[in-house]
């Protein structure tokens, strides 16, 4: 079990230190600093073993979170806990930064007391935590006996993520399908690897204890129904994709509220949602991915001191859709001494500190193409090493799901209160972002 | 631009460095550096000419980036350009960059060399110095090649500035160290020596380093430096502290130079010239005198400098080792330091004294400090100093003070640091042995040693005690008594038990007269420790027990009881179990005189150098106490030691404590490689023992007696068959009478594969392989008909006593055999002990409704477990004679059944499994074989002799083996084969 938890800033100074078990001494704090944060060689492994003590760390911007244990714990559990803890902290005070941690350290200790008990992870559901760990002092809003008992029953009850008696005037729910598409393409345009990792994030403002059912164009479900012959899918053609009927999901994980038994038997996703924002599911697909952009690089070496680069990007989705925040990053050789760039659209700049030309385009419609050409001057070096030609990477945001995932329905049933599925206002949004989207050149 | 060259701000560099220092993360730092690199690259692009200042600035930045750990792959050219600048700062930065960054195989090396050459010939001393520093810093082979000729010239040139000479000397030293072959000796060498007379002390200091290094390689060429050095030294030593101005360090004149001079002198023997020598002695005396003077300053630097010279002088005195007066003075001076409050001084004093102790002149003087040293050992706080004190005690020990020193070391051992304990133990052991006047003292000391620091007593130490005790008759009784007493302590160390076990096993009889240490008491004492010991010790104790049986027959029953107990005879450890079994058997079978022979007192060990000394040498490595001296002392004490010096590790291991050696080999049961070569000899040894046990003197006569025909050969298959066979013939098929199976059996004596049985219905093929005492047999049942056999079952049984002799396991076979099909059955056989019968194979099946039942003999015969043994003629006959009991031999004369073909006979004998020995029998017609039958319980060595008589078509077969039943059975089996 987790023996202790430390938070360091980038210098290795301890911001938060919470020791849960006696086997972790104060020297463990220093051991991690010396051996990991200040290590001569950058430590790449997230798990470090120093003197029979294991350190599991994650890094958020400049902040190190390290869980320490002397026992043989389940590493996946520890990391899950650390991620969860990051989520909780983000939910409470926003970005995890040194400043924020210093300003909220009382709160963090309070949270740590709650979500980790003698090293055993406890309920770390933000919604539930927020009911009893508030940032107001005791004076501000004394909780009544009833409220307290309600919290107790909720936290210890079967549905720990939702309390009873929630009431909204307007029953509303927001559903975001957030995907990030990863690609590695050869210079010739051959896809070397591609996958989409997606998340379904929900924000629900529903009264009572509603029972929800979520449906999407999962291949297995569609194929099952396909025999019945009901494949009228409205809104299908509106989206950018190639009109795919269904998608094959490689693997998925769900929020704890989803009834896994039902998913296993019927592959239907039914749940009682938590109140507020949460991540309903995570999934990954590798087949039939819609690649929103195609990058065509052309690199020509003119002698030893000159390099000509031409890059064309083509958008590959419906013309009615607009991609946003497009950024192409073209690496330059390490001995670049000067760069001239010409581009038709957007702005391009040579960033010496990053050894790259960064080309930014605000928005771009589908089925268009754009081009940049650059002349790079090189300084002759006495190193015979050839330039490794790192891949050209790209960032963008598109308003559809590159995996082809569609939300078919999200039904809400609340038997006790008298509102029906039709009364609920539902919002669905698709956002596809680039993950690691690279083309070799 | 005087302002720039003076202030030389390089603000850009300062800003850059402060930017980097302010970076919050590694990533930010890398970004900043990338930006700067891009900036420098654009500046270096070449189209615009840079002025010297900015070039210097950017090269500096590159250098800084490089020192931060990033690769720099450009800017070298700019740095080389800087070399040709006329400004000192620019040149300096250029050289700095090159010394740090340019690797030896760079293309630019030519340009650099050129620039350096220019600077060397520039006559500007600053530039020359910069160039020399650069050469020395790079120090590559290329540099040496280019400048090895040039630098000596600069060094000895008359018009060279002092500072340049200094640099040149050190630069040459560096080149000489990296590539000595390139620095050629020449006429400059003699002039270098004269640099010792230089006015400038810096030049002398630098030159001395060079000369010291060079003279180590070519001492003759620099011989003249001795007198120069002496005169220089005397000038320094005799000078007042104010004479040398800059070179006086805290009132000590030129301490570094003095030390170096003294060290240079240590490269040479004492000067032969009396005047020079006198002057040197005078110097040394002055140095020693100065040490007595009250310090001129309380500063630690003053005393450090003074002591540095003093210790170097003492080293020189020790090196010369010819001035008794000086040696004694040095010793006294060191004696003062022994109690100095400065720890380093104490350490150094002890260390130097160690070397002094080895000199014949100062040995006595060193000895006077014994009390102080012992005190240091006891009270010193620093462990390294204590270690030195122990070394010194060891070094100063001789016969006169051995007892005191050993006693002190022993008493210190109880509180000694763990790090030096083992070494201390070795030292005590060596000293005790070396200076032992009476051996009871030695035994006491070592036993004390084991008692105090048992864990640190290495094997060698206790081996050594035992060697000495065994070799010295006068101490044996005392040793037995002492170990007996030592063992009575409630908790004694395992090493003590080992020594005790060994010594009591050998010499327990010497103290058995005393009722307090009667045999039984001794045994009980030893046995009370038995359960607390590790396996090797237990093994040793078991050997001690069997020796007890020999020494004290009255303990026999008690010890046998112990050996027989399950914890011994069924011990999970093979070694212990084997010993228990063998010793038990030995004690019950062998007669007293056999026992007395086998378990005779150990013979004295051959004289050898003590292994402990070797171990100490190994432990301490170079720079240890003068071991040579020790050995000398050892030789001197040799006669005292009597037979003390012998027995190194291996000798002991072999003869020691009867570890696996005598007893195990006695029975030849060792597995592994020795089986083929050693086992027969061992087997014969055993036989030897037993034949003597039987006290059968007429063995030889028996050998000559005419062979007796063993009449029961026809009934060879034993009594079991006739009972078990007839009922098995039940079926209507009359084709399986038992007699036939007997013949079938004989068919397989000399071969392992073939068809065992065949009739109209069934064919049984056989394939078998044997290793050691294990065998595996594959039986193939073939259905010759077109109808399937149903309820096909086979059972293998071992009739009668065979059950306890042979372990046969058969895998079940499929109950159904299709027509024309074949099934396979595997039978595993383990030979427990020798046997004469064969297991029975019963086969039942239904063929067309009729029950078929037949019983066969499985061709498993004793000879299958033979392990061939090669031996020479001499060995063979020796063994042959040893197996001379009448029952051990079986002989048969029979008529040949087949043609007497030599090759066929050979093949048959080989198939038998024995080794066919060529050129053993004087008669080439005869065949001689040897082999060992491997059974689980024992090994039976067997020898065979087959004498064909071509005229009479008769054979005479003689088999001798260590077991009578085996001989008989083999004879029976073989008689049918030829």
């Amino acid at each position: 079990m987790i023996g202790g938890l430390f938070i360091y800033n980038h210098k290795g100074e301890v911001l938060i230190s919470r020791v849960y078990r006696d086997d972790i001494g104060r020297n463990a704090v220093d051991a991690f600093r010396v051996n990991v944060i200040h290590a001569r060689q950058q430590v790449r492994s997230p798990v470090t073993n120093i003197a029979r003590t294991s350190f599991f760390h994650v890094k958020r911007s400049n902040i190190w979170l390290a869980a320490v244990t002397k026992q043989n714990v389940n590493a996946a559990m520890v990391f899950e806990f650390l991620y969860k803890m990051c989520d909780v902290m983000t939910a409470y005070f926003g970005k995890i930064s040194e400043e924020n941690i210093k300003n909220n350290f009382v709160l963090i200790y309070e949270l740590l007391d709650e979500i980790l008990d003698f090293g055993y992870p406890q309920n770390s559901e933000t919604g539930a935590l927020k009911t009893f760990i508030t940032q107001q002092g005791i004076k501000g809003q004394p909780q009544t006996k009833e409220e307290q008992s309600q919290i107790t029953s909720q936290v210890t009850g079967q549905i720990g993520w939702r309390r009873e008696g929630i009431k909204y005037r307007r029953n509303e729910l927001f559903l975001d399908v957030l995907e990030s598409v990863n690609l590695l393409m050869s210079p010739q345009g051959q896809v070397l690897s591609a996958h989409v990792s997606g998340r379904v994030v929900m924000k629900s403002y529903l009264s009572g204890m509603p029972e929800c059912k979520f449906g999407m164009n999962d291949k297995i479900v569609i194929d099952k129904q396909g025999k019945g012959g009901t494949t009228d899918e409205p809104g299908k053609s509106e989206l950018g994709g190639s009109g795919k009927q269904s998608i094959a999901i490689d693997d998925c994980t769900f929020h704890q509220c989803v009834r896994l038994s039902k998913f296993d038997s019927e592959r239907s996703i039914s749940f009682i949602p938590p109140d507020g924002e949460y991540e309903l599911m995570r999934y990954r697909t590798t087949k039939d991915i819609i690649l929103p952009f195609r990058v065509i690089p052309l690199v020509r070496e003119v002698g030893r001191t000159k390099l000509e680069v031409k890059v064309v990007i083509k958008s590959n989705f419906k013309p009615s859709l607009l991609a946003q925040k497009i950024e192409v990053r073209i690496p330059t050789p390490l001995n670049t001494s000067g760069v001239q760039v010409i581009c038709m659209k957007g702005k391009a700049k040579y960033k010496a500190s990053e050894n790259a030309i960064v080309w930014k385009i605000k928005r771009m419609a589908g089925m268009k193409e754009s081009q940049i050409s650059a002349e790079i001057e090189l300084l002759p070096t006495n190193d015979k090493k050839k330039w490794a030609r790192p891949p050209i990477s790209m960032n963008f945001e598109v308003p559809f799901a590159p995996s082809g995932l569609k939300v078919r329905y999200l039904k809400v049933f609340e038997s006790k209160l008298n509102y029906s599925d039709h009364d609920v206002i539902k919002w669905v949004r698709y956002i596809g972002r680039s993950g690691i989207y690279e083309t070799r050149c | 631009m005087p302002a720039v060259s003076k202030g030389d701000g390089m603000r850009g560099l300062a800003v850059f460095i402060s930017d980097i220092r302010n970076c919050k993360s590694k990533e930010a730092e890398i970004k900043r550096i990338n930006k700067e690199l891009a900036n420098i690259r654009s500046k270096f692009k070449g189209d615009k000419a840079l002025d010297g200042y900015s070039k210097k600035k950017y090269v500096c930045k590159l250098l800084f980036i490089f020192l931060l750990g990033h690769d720099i792959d450009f800017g070298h050219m700019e740095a080389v350009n800087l070399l040709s600048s006329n400004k000192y700062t620019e040149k300096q930065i250029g050289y700095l960059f090159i010394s740090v960054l340019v690797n030896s195989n760079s293309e630019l090396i030519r340009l650099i060399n050129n620039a350096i050459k220019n600077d060397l010939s520039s006559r500007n001393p600053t530039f020359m110095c910069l160039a020399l520093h650069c050469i020395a810093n790079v120090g590559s082979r290329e540099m040496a090649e280019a400048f090895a000729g040039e630098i000596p010239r600069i060094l000895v040139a008359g018009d060279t500035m002092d500072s340049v000479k200094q640099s040149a000397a050190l630069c040459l030293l560096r080149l000489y160290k990296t590539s000595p072959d390139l620095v050629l000796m020449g006429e400059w060498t003699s002039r270098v020596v004269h640099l010792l007379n230089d006015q400038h002390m810096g030049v002398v200091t630098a030159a001395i380093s060079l000369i010291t290094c060079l003279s180590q390689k070519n001492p003759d060429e620099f011989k003249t430096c001795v007198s120069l050095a002496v005169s220089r030294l005397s000038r320094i030593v005799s000078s007042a502290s104010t004479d040398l101005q800059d070179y006086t360090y805290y009132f000590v004149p030129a301490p570094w130079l003095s030390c170096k001079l003294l060290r240079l002198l240590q490269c040479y023997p004492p000067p032969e010239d009396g005047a020079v020598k006198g002057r040197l002695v005078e110097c040394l005396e002055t140095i020693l005198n100065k040490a007595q003077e009250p310090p001129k300053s309380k500063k630690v630097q003053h005393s450090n400098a003074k002591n540095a010279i003093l210790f170097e002088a003492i080293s020189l005195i020790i090196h010369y080792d010819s001035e008794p007066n000086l040696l004694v003075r040095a010793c006294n001076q060191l004696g003062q330091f022994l109690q100095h409050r400065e720890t380093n001084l104490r350490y150094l004093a002890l260390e130097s004294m160690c070397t002094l102790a080895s000199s014949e002149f100062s040995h006595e003087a060193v000895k006077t400090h014994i009390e102080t040293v012992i005190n240091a050992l006891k009270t010193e706080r620093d462990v390294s100093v204590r270690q030195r004190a122990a070394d010194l005690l060891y070094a100063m020990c001789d016969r006169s003070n051995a007892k005191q020193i050993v006693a002190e070391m022993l008493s210190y051992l109880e509180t000694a640091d763990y790090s030096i304990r083992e070494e201390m133990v070795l030292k005590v052991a060596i000293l005790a042995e070396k200076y032992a006047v009476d051996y009871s003292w030695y035994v006491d000391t070592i036993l004390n040693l084991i008692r105090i620091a048992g864990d640190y007593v290495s094997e060698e130490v206790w081996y050594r005690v035992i060697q000495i005790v065994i070799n010295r008759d006068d101490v044996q009784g005392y040793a037995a008594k002492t170990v007996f007493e030592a063992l009575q302590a409630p908790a004694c160390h395992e090493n003590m038990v080992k020594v005790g076990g060994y010594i009591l096993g050998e010499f327990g009889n010497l103290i058995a007269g005393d009722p307090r240490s009667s045999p039984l008491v001794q045994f009980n004492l030893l046995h009370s420790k038995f359960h607390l010991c590790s396996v090797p010790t237990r093994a040793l104790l078991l050997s001690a027990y069997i020796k007890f049986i020999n020494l004290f027959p009255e303990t026999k029953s008690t010890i046998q009881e112990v050996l027989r107990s399950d914890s011994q005879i069924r011990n999970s450890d093979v070694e212990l179990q084997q010993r228990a079994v063998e010793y038990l058997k030995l004690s019950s079978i062998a007669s007293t005189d056999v026992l007395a022979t086998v378990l005779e007192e150990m013979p004295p060990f051959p004289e050898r150098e003590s292994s402990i000394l070797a171990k100490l040498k190994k432990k301490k490595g170079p720079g240890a106490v003068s071991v040579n001296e020790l050995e000398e002392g050892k030789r001197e004490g040799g006669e005292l030691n009597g037979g003390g010096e012998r027995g190194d590790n291996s000798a002991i291991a072999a003869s020691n404590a009867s570890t696996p050696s005598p007893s195990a080999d006695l029975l030849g049961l060792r597995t592994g490689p020795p089986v083929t070569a050693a086992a027969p000899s061992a087997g014969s040894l055993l036989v030897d023992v037993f034949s003597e046990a039987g006290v059968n003197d007429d063995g030889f006569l028996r050998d000559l007696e005419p062979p007796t025909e063993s009449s029961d050969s026809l009934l060879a298959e034993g009594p079991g068959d006739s009972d078990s066979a007839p009922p098995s013939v039940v079926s209507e098929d009359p084709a399986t009478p038992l007699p036939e199976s007997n013949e079938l059996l004989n068919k397989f004596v000399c071969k392992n594969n073939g068809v065992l049985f065949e009739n109209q219905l069934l064919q049984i093929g056989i394939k078998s392989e044997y290793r050691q005492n294990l065998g595996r047999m594959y039986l193939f049942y073939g259905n010759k008909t077109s109808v399937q056999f149903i309820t096909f079952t086979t059972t293998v049984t071992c009739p009668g006593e065979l059950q306890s002799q042979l372990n046969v396991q058969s895998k079940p076979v499929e109950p159904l055999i299709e027509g024309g099909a074949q099934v396979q059955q595997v039978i595993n056989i383990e030979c427990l002990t020798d046997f004469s019968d064969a297991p029975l194979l019963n086969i039942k099946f239904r063929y067309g409704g009729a029950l078929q039942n037949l019983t066969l003999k499985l061709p498993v015969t004793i000879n299958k477990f033979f392990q061939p043994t090669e031996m020479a003629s001499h060995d063979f006959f020796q063994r042959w004679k040893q197996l001379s009991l009448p029952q051990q031999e079986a002989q048969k004369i029979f008529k040949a059944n087949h043609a007497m073909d030599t090759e066929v006979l050979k093949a048959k004998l080989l198939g038998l499994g024995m080794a066919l020995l060529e050129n053993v029998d004087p008669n080439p017609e005869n065949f001689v074989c040897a082999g060992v039958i491997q059974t689980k319980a024992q090994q039976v060595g067997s020898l065979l002799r087959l004498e064909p008589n071509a005229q009479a078509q008769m054979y005479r077969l003689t088999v001798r083996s260590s077991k009578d039943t085996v001989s008989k059975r083999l004879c029976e089996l073989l008689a049918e084969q030829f």
Side-chain angles (χ1 to χ4, degrees), chain A residues 10 334 336-337 353 382, chain B residues 24 31 34 41 45 73 76:
Chain A
H10 72 283
L334 295 174
T336 304
S337 60
S353 60
N382 53 350
Chain B
K24 287 230 162 138
K31 276 190 171 175
N34 279 337
R41 278 194 300 259
K45 211 158 52 180
D73 53 3
H76 301 78

Side-chain angles (χ1 to χ4, degrees), chain B residues 241-431:
Chain B
S241 58
T242 48
D243 288 356
L244 294 166
Q245 287 162 355
D246 281 358
Y247 287 85
T248 300
Y249 176 82
Y250 289 88
F251 307 106
V252 182
W256 281 276
L257 183 53
S258 310
C259 284
K260 284 186 172 182
L261 283 166
L262 288 164
R263 203 165 287 169
L264 173 63
L265 290 172
Q266 283 174 48
C267 299
Y268 288 95
E272 283 141 25
D273 185 349
V276 176
K277 189 166 183 182
R279 208 159 167 204
L280 179 58
V281 169
E282 205 175 292
C283 283
L284 293 172
E285 271 173 351
T286 319
I287 293 170
L288 288 172
N289 286 339
K290 273 195 181 166
Q292 295 296 335
E293 285 171 15
K296 291 200 178 73
S297 158
K298 286 216 167 101
K299 288 254 168 66
V300 68
Q301 289 94 328
H302 171 70
S303 58
N304 276 351
K306 219 164 92 173
N307 292 330
I309 299 176
L310 180 64
F311 275 107
E312 211 55 66
I314 290 174
S315 305
L316 183 63
I317 293 168
I318 295 168
H319 169 73
Y320 285 165
D321 197 14
S322 59
E323 301 286 331
N325 179 29
L326 284 177
L327 280 165
V328 171
R329 278 195 68 181
C331 181
N332 292 338
Q333 184 60 50
L334 290 176
Q336 287 178 13
F337 285 147
L338 285 182
Q339 279 158 319
H340 205 277
R341 61 192 165 77
E342 191 66 25
T343 311
N344 290 336
L345 268 185
R346 289 198 300 270
Y347 180 94
L348 288 168
L350 287 167
E351 199 181 28
S352 301
M353 263 205 182
C354 268
T355 29
L356 272 179
S358 57
S359 166
E360 50 175 321
F361 301 113
S362 54
H363 188 76
E364 288 305 312
V366 172
K367 267 164 65 182
T368 55
H369 299 291
I370 184 164
E371 292 303 329
T372 325
V373 179
I374 288 171
N375 205 33
L377 188 66
K378 283 178 179 161
T379 57
E380 182 58 55
R381 248 182 286 137
D382 191 306
V383 62
S384 57
V385 180
R386 284 200 297 268
Q387 161 112 46
R388 290 289 142 242
D391 285 348
L392 179 55
L393 274 184
Y394 178 69
M396 67 163 66
C397 188
D398 63 12
R399 213 170 306 151
S400 64
N401 56 12
K403 277 199 177 170
Q404 185 194 4
I405 286 178
V406 168
E408 287 297 344
M409 284 174 101
L410 263 182
S411 71
Y412 171 62
L413 203 53
E414 289 183 68
T415 53
D417 308 83
Y418 294 103
S419 52
I420 62 170
R421 270 198 189 180
E422 190 176 354
E423 204 185 308
M424 291 277 292
V425 166
L426 288 173
K427 283 180 172 160
V428 170
I430 291 170
L431 291 178

Side-chain angles (χ1 to χ4, degrees), chain A residues 10 62 334-337 350 352-355 377 379 381-384, chain B residues 24-25 30-31 34-35 38 41-42 44-45 71 73-74 76 107-108:
Chain A
H10 72 283
N62 274 332
L334 295 174
N335 54 346
T336 304
S337 60
Y350 167 58
S353 60
E354 290 154 46
N355 280 322
E377 282 178 79
L379 191 76
T381 63
N382 53 350
D383 246 1
K384 296 286 179 297
Chain B
K24 287 230 162 138
S25 65
I30 289 168
K31 276 190 171 175
N34 279 337
K35 198 175 152 198
R41 278 194 300 259
S42 69
F44 280 176
K45 211 158 52 180
D71 276 343
D73 53 3
F74 66 99
H76 301 78
E107 293 168 4
L108 293 169

Side-chain angles (χ1 to χ4, degrees), chain A residues 162 166-173 204-212 272-273 275 411-426:
Chain A
R162 190 179 181 92
I166 298 171
K167 273 248 163 67
Y168 287 103
R169 210 154 51 80
R170 227 153 76 113
N171 290 309
E172 227 175 349
L173 74 85
S204 62
Y205 302 107
L206 300 171
S207 311
M209 284 296 220
E211 174 86 35
C212 297
I272 296 171
D275 199 36
K411 292 175 190 151
V412 181
F413 308 97
E414 170 54 87
S415 46
K416 288 192 190 132
L417 300 170
N418 49 351
Y419 71 89
S420 70
D421 189 32
H422 304 291
D423 302 332
V424 181
I425 306 160
K426 301 169 191 168

